[in-house]
């Protein structure tokens, strides 16, 4: 079943561009138990940590929102532990296309397989984008060995969503379980944005400790956007709050990082920020509708 969106964009109150499918119907999880436990502890997650696609569809339908759903394929970096299937996510999203938008994920350390999978997910399954997590997946996105991935995503018109900054995955474990934060420095993605101006890129999270870099890149590059997931808005750096209400009000997207942060908590804390009223509907829904080609 190929995904085609059927979201009533006028009716939904918000569009969450950053949610994780952590388990399938057979209880296979993308992360192993140690990493799941460390992440849940880091975020003090209040909801079940392993929602399925059906769980996400029910949740967002109940809250009159739409959501982008994905997993992260870090098979090689995690010692052969496979993710939840991106094909399954796309098929389930197609059955819930009134509220869900599927992104795919591929393992950059398996380049031939990754290129074939990008084409398959785009052409046969209709995914609207691809999710990458350089720290978890163990790769430098600016390394030209990975440029064929960005060429393929651009060719198929796929939005690319990149984790940036600190990660809760591996947090508090010895050596962070070998996960290297420097791969998620957004300045590595400035190279990609410059070399692939036709590629739409989203820098996920406030990018701490590199928030100023993300603000600069999104201001400078027309093809680069930011999402606000993974942090409660009450902890946003002040320069980020200023930017999203002014120079980046057309470049900023609502994301929660559900299930690690709930939209209810995010919305409540966001409402307390000093963000100009005209920027709020752009951030919560309108910018994402444009970036994802839903109108």
């Amino acid at each position: 079943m190929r995904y085609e969106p059927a979201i009533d964009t006028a009716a939904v109150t918000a569009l969450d561009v950053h949610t994780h499918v952590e388990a399938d119907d057979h209880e296979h999880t993308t992360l192993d138990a140690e990493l799941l436990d460390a992440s849940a502890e880091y975020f003090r997650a209040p909801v079940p940590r392993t929602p399925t696609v059906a769980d996400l569809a029910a949740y967002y339908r109940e809250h009159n929102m739409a959501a982008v759903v994905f997993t992260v394929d870090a098979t090689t970096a995690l010692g052969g532990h496979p993710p939840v299937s991106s094909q399954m996510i796309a098929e389930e999203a197609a059955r819930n296309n009134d509220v869900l938008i599927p992104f795919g994920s591929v393992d950059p350390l398996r380049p031939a397989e990754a290129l074939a999978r990008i084409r398959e997910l785009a052409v046969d399954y209709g995914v609207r984008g691809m999710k990458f997590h350089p720290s978890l997946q163990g790769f430098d996105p600016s390394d030209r060995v990975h440029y064929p991935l960005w060429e393929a995503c651009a060719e198929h018109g796929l939005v690319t969503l990149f984790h940036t900054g600190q990660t809760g995955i591996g947090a508090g474990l010895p050596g962070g379980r070998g996960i290297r934060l420097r791969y998620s420095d957004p300045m590595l993605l400035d190279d990609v944005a410059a070399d692939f101006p036709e590629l739409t890129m989203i820098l996920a999270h406030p990018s701490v400790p590199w928030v100023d870099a993300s603000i600069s890149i999104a201001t400078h590059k027309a093809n680069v956007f930011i999402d606000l997931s993974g942090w409660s808005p009450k902890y946003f750096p002040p320069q980020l709050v200023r930017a999203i209400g002014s120079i980046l009000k057309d470049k900023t997207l609502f994301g929660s990082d559900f299930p690690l942060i709930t939209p209810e908590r995010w919305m409540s804390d966001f409402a307390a920020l000093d963000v100009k009223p005209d920027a709020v509907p752009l951030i919560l829904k309108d910018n994402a509708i444009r970036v994802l080609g839903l109108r």
Side-chain angles (χ1 to χ4, degrees), residues 85-286:
S85 165
S86 287
Q87 291 91 330
M88 178 276 293
I89 291 173
E91 289 179 334
E92 290 296 312
R95 296 185 181 94
N96 294 279
N97 63 349
D98 59 317
V99 290
L100 299 184
I101 302 157
F103 275 25
S105 185
V106 298
D107 184 349
L109 303 184
R110 298 183 176 187
E113 177 183 314
L115 288 174
R117 187 70 55 81
I118 288 172
R119 184 185 186 283
E120 178 189 27
L121 289 169
V123 174
D124 298 339
Y125 290 88
V127 301
R128 306 298 287 225
M130 299 296 297
K131 160 70 174 185
F132 296 95
H133 193 311
S135 290
L136 180 61
Q137 293 175 306
F139 80 108
D140 176 348
S142 69
D143 190 327
R144 288 182 176 269
V145 73
H146 302 300
Y147 270 31
L149 298 178
W150 320 140
E151 291 170 359
C153 289
E155 177 187 350
H156 293 290
L158 298 174
V159 176
T160 50
L161 175 63
F162 292 90
H163 173 95
T164 64
Q166 169 78 352
T167 180
I169 300 173
L173 298 176
R177 266 282 295 268
I179 294 169
R180 289 167 168 78
L181 298 181
R182 67 182 179 87
Y183 288 151
S184 291
D185 183 339
M187 287 308 298
L188 299 177
L189 297 169
D190 186 62
D191 288 1
V192 179
D195 290 337
F196 295 91
E198 71 281 17
L199 180 67
T200 299
M201 302 170 60
I202 301 172
L203 310 181
H205 315 311
S207 303
V208 173
W210 301 294
V211 61
D212 292 319
S214 280
I215 292 171
S216 294
I217 296 165
T219 303
H220 188 251
K221 304 288 193 296
N223 54 319
V224 176
F225 299 79
I226 63 173
D227 87 28
L228 300 175
S229 64
W231 288 63
S232 165
K234 68 182 178 181
Y235 299 121
F236 286 176
Q239 65 269 43
L240 178 63
V241 176
R242 289 193 299 270
I244 66 177
S246 56
I247 58 173
L248 291 182
K249 68 179 183 180
D250 295 312
K251 305 290 294 289
T252 302
L253 313 172
F254 159 52
S256 67
D257 219 8
F258 188 81
L260 298 170
I261 294 178
T262 66
E264 297 101 314
R265 176 189 176 191
W266 193 99
M267 292 285 190
S268 176
D269 291 346
F270 182 73
L273 296 182
D274 185 18
V275 176
K276 294 178 180 178
D278 65 319
V280 172
L282 299 174
I283 293 168
L284 294 185
K285 182 173 71 170
D286 294 343

Side-chain angles (χ1 to χ4, degrees), residues 1-12 14-15 57 60-61 64-68 90-102 125-126 128 289 292-295:
M1 179 182 294
R2 190 178 192 278
Y3 175 82
E4 293 291 344
I7 296 167
D8 185 345
T9 56
V12 295
L15 202 166
Y60 281 89
R61 194 175 288 118
N64 195 33
M65 298 180 186
V68 171
E91 289 179 334
E92 290 296 312
R95 296 185 181 94
N96 294 279
N97 63 349
D98 59 317
V99 290
L100 299 184
I101 302 157
Y125 290 88
R128 306 298 287 225
I289 290 171
L292 296 171
L294 298 178
R295 68 158 59 121

